[in-house]
Amino acid sequence: MTRGRFLSIEGGEGAGKSTQVRRLAETLRARGVEVITTREPGGSDGAEAIRELLMTGAVGRWSAHTEALLFAAARADHVEKVIQPAIGVGTWVISDRYVDSSRAYQGVAGGIDDAAVMALHGFGSRGLLPDRTLVLEVPPEIGAGRASVRDGAAADRFAARERTFHDDVASAFRRFATAEPERVRLIDASAAADAVAEAVLVEIADLLP
Ligand code: TYD
């Protein structure tokens, strides 16, 4: 049996990731592909419990190091319980965020070495990387505006951070795309959802059955 493909969708707040995850899943299903959609932090029972710890409370609740460990622990459970079993039986997995979020948020913006983030990933999740990672890019002011319309006063510990933090996250994703052009692709997500969905398909065309 062929292994299912593993795709991750990344980007800052309000980039439209969840819409694109849903649309991509629909398109793949229409082509006869078995697909599950999932998200991080979370995606498995254990990881959803850790998500609660990560997303609620004061911005300074966790140190950068503790936070990196919690994200890595959540991911380890998600990979073991959901992602590996699915791809092992030929099901495709689309995850709303994955390890590149840890590299961007805890790593570049949070001040932790990329090598350290990847070492945690190696230990927790055996270093599993997506077959393709799609980074949805929107200008930070548009993303912040969309996220605040969506979340209102319910902004989480991350959305509440300074503008410079979100700028660092955005430039981190761009750097990952430059460093790993085969795996990581940038997509202009300021366009209408239909156009973004088309661009996503172009970037995974070589993986499609
Ligand atoms: P979430 O509510 O899922 O919303 P969105 O993906 O639309 O922003 O928020 C998840 C937050 O957690 C987001 O601000 C990014 C952050 N995050 C990290 O800092 N590190 C990680 O490894 C992951 C997966 C997410």
Side-chain angles (χ1 to χ4, degrees):
M1 177 182 297
T2 11
R3 190 179 155 275
R5 299 287 190 180
F6 174 28
L7 311 174
S8 64
I9 310 250
E10 300 277 5
E13 329 293 304
K17 292 187 302 301
S18 52
T19 304
Q20 293 303 325
V21 166
R22 196 177 58 244
R23 292 188 60 145
L24 179 56
E26 284 162 6
T27 305
L28 290 172
R29 284 185 191 118
R31 289 176 180 235
V33 175
E34 281 282 340
V35 45
I36 60 165
T37 63
T38 185
R39 68 154 180 194
E40 289 203 350
S44 60
D45 289 348
E48 289 290 333
I50 298 172
R51 178 189 172 93
E52 202 47 37
L53 296 173
L54 279 162
M55 303 304 285
T56 60
V59 169
R61 181 178 189 186
W62 307 109
S63 74
H65 286 84
T66 309
E67 196 170 272
L69 286 161
L70 288 170
F71 277 112
R75 183 162 303 120
D77 192 67
H78 186 211
V79 167
E80 184 188 337
K81 305 277 175 46
V82 174
I83 298 175
Q84 285 287 15
I87 59 183
V89 296
T91 298
W92 288 40
V93 174
I94 309 172
S95 185
D96 184 338
R97 296 192 182 280
Y98 189 65
V99 72
D100 296 293
S101 280
S102 284
R103 300 175 67 206
Y105 285 78
Q106 283 66 56
V108 176
I112 296 188
D113 277 358
D114 193 55
V117 174
M118 290 311 288
L120 296 181
H121 187 53
F123 177 73
S125 302
R126 300 196 181 133
L128 178 71
L129 289 177
D131 296 297
R132 187 102 351 120
T133 295
L134 306 154
V135 175
L136 304 188
E137 280 203 296
V138 288
E141 55 282 1
I142 296 184
R146 286 186 192 163
S148 76
V149 167
R150 179 192 65 190
D151 302 334
D156 60 51
R157 288 181 57 247
F158 295 89
R161 295 198 182 178
E162 304 283 332
R163 167 71 187 272
T164 54
F165 183 89
H166 294 288
D167 288 347
D168 287 347
V169 166
S171 65
F173 284 129
R174 280 195 295 277
R175 263 190 276 158
F176 302 158
T178 307
E180 286 181 80
E182 176 57 28
R183 178 174 71 89
V184 185
R185 308 287 171 87
L186 295 179
I187 291 179
D188 174 6
S190 55
D194 282 350
V196 178
E198 285 290 323
V200 166
L201 282 184
V202 169
E203 296 299 340
I204 62 162
D206 58 313
L207 303 178
L208 295 173

